Amino acid sequence: MHVKYFADVRRLSGCFEEDWTQPAATLGELVQGLAGRHGPAFGERVQPCGSLSSTIIVLVNGQNIVHLEGLATRLDPGDTVAFFPMVAGG
């Protein structure tokens, strides 16, 4: 599957995007694998205390996982997953 990173999540991953070829049946498995690859700072930013950060938006094929099954969202090898930090402005 293809993984994209934006803003500070990009900085923590060290790349704009990457192809993930390891098995990951769910988004939770993918996040754990990515945290293992990119280090503890990435893991703490995206999944502190074992649940997805409330300040991270994750899209699977353009759909917010809030409207899917959260970390239990099933993934297929051809999926695109994007990680965005929440941004506020005024």
Side-chain angles (χ1 to χ4, degrees):
M1 74 195 67
H2 195 68
V3 184
K4 296 180 176 182
Y5 307 101
F6 296 88
D8 67 325
V9 184
R10 177 178 291 165
R11 179 181 52 78
L12 292 170
S13 73
C15 58
F16 288 87
E17 56 190 34
E18 65 183 316
D19 288 320
W20 183 260
T21 58
Q22 303 298 316
T26 64
L27 178 63
E29 290 177 17
L30 174 64
V31 169
Q32 287 181 343
L34 293 172
R37 176 180 285 181
H38 298 303
F42 180 91
E44 283 295 315
R45 178 67 177 101
V46 175
Q47 193 179 24
C49 303
S51 61
L52 192 64
S53 170
S54 62
T55 62
I56 294 289
I57 298 169
V58 182
L59 304 181
V60 174
N61 299 325
Q63 291 186 290
N64 191 322
I65 64 159
V66 170
H67 304 295
L68 299 172
E69 296 179 48
L71 289 174
T73 300
R74 307 280 310 162
L75 298 176
D76 292 318
D79 287 344
T80 297
V81 180
F83 292 87
F84 299 85
M86 283 196 179
V87 177

